[in-house]
Amino acid sequence: MIALEFVAGNLFIIYTVVLHILSPGTFMDILTSFCNIWAVAGIFLIWLSVYRLKHGYSFWSRIQKKWKRVILIFTGVCGLIALVNLIFILTPRILNLEELACEAGETEIESEFSDGHQVYVFLLGGGIDKNGKLPKPVMLRVRKTAEYMKLNEDAFCVVTGGTLKWLPYPEAPELKRQLVKLGISEDRIFVEDQALDTIQNLQKGTEVLKSALGLTTREVLDSPVVLVSSRYHLRRSQRLAHRMGFENVTGVGCRTPVFHLPMAYLREICAYVKLNLRILLTGKPVKL
């Protein structure tokens, strides 16, 4: 047991360090990053192993029975809540681009999804490092967006992502630059570089479309909208979009590198629980 706790604790700490190496941030960005939760868990496990080695018994055995019961109930409830939210996270509405490209072609995309209406694509930001470069999971979103934009050549795209706290660069301009490098015309891409979260991605992205194309809020909300993001993030994005009044929303899901999956889903579960609490307590977000 000592060895298991010690090894697991070190693995958690190593996982945290590698995540920071893959997406380097400023000192304060690293210090306040959500992924440090793995390091905290790792330090706790190492402390448990040291405690067991020093005293010859586990820390758990010192806890009073009534408190053990409280801890077990609390852990069980949290686990159940996490599981329920994970089930929702795993069930987004997704456009299968590979299937559409192979079986249908461009006209089928337009007839089945857009029904002849103008389609607007929201490329949702996922972070940028201190050097102004997009991490691999975000580049996968960019490539998938380019793939859709080439299948539907009439679609317009909003790239959305601002300057996160402690980082020096906004994300959206780099998203556009990468899309252009992949062959998407600049005049089909609109930049929204102020949003700091998914709600603002949709709010501010809508304002950009209205300003650039002379649309009303109602026209944007009634149009077919494609959200492009990592698959784990799509369900929450779509739920937010529906609450904000978007009538015809689907998504293009991007894979997440295997190494990033534990971090991605842990963070998304927490974000989905936070969203549910926000809706329950404040009723927000509301329709645009």
Side-chain angles (χ1 to χ4, degrees), residues 58-104:
S58 70
F59 177 75
W60 178 254
S61 66
R62 295 294 306 273
I63 300 175
Q64 294 181 12
K65 190 174 181 179
K66 65 176 182 178
W67 289 113
K68 286 182 180 179
R69 188 180 299 111
V70 170
I71 293 171
L72 288 173
I73 292 173
F74 177 77
T75 303
V77 170
C78 289
L80 181 60
I81 292 173
L83 179 61
V84 170
N85 282 273
L86 179 61
I87 292 172
F88 282 105
I89 290 168
L90 293 174
T91 57
R93 182 188 175 198
I94 290 181
L95 278 176
N96 189 323
L97 296 191
E98 290 78 8
E99 181 179 315
L100 289 171
C102 292
E103 298 180 4

Side-chain angles (χ1 to χ4, degrees), residues 214-282:
L215 303 172
T216 64
T217 299
R218 189 71 264 161
E219 286 174 323
V220 177
L221 296 179
D222 288 343
S223 299
V225 168
V226 177
L227 304 180
V228 182
S229 190
S230 302
R231 185 183 175 94
Y232 67 82
H233 181 232
L234 272 184
R235 185 65 172 82
R236 179 164 58 94
S237 303
Q238 291 171 347
R239 186 177 181 195
L240 285 168
H242 284 302
R243 285 192 62 85
M244 295 165 71
F246 290 87
E247 298 291 342
N248 190 4
V249 180
T250 189
V252 173
C254 312
R255 71 177 182 88
T256 300
V258 174
F259 188 81
H260 291 266
L261 284 175
M263 179 67 239
Y265 277 94
L266 175 62
R267 183 171 184 170
E268 188 61 19
I269 288 171
C270 293
Y272 209 89
V273 171
K274 180 182 176 182
L275 172 60
N276 287 329
L277 288 174
R278 178 174 183 167
I279 292 173
L280 180 65
L281 297 176
T282 70

Side-chain angles (χ1 to χ4, degrees), residues 148-162:
Y148 178 84
M149 297 284 285
K150 290 174 181 178
L151 284 171
N152 189 345
E153 295 185 354
D154 293 326
F156 288 108
C157 177
V158 180
V159 292
T160 171

Side-chain angles (χ1 to χ4, degrees), residues 104-170:
E106 299 173 20
T107 57
E108 192 71 14
I109 289 180
E110 294 174 2
S111 62
E112 285 193 1
F113 171 60
S114 64
D115 195 26
H117 292 88
Q118 179 66 56
V119 177
Y120 301 110
V121 180
F122 284 66
L123 170 52
L124 304 179
I128 194 169
D129 68 25
K130 68 177 182 179
N131 302 311
K133 295 182 178 180
L134 301 175
K136 185 175 180 179
V138 182
M139 278 304 303
L140 291 172
R141 299 184 188 188
V142 174
R143 294 190 185 105
K144 192 64 73 171
T145 301
E147 184 180 344
Y148 178 84
M149 297 284 285
K150 290 174 181 178
L151 284 171
N152 189 345
E153 295 185 354
D154 293 326
F156 288 108
C157 177
V158 180
V159 292
T160 171
T163 306
L164 298 177
K165 196 173 184 180
W166 314 120
L167 291 174
Y169 301 104

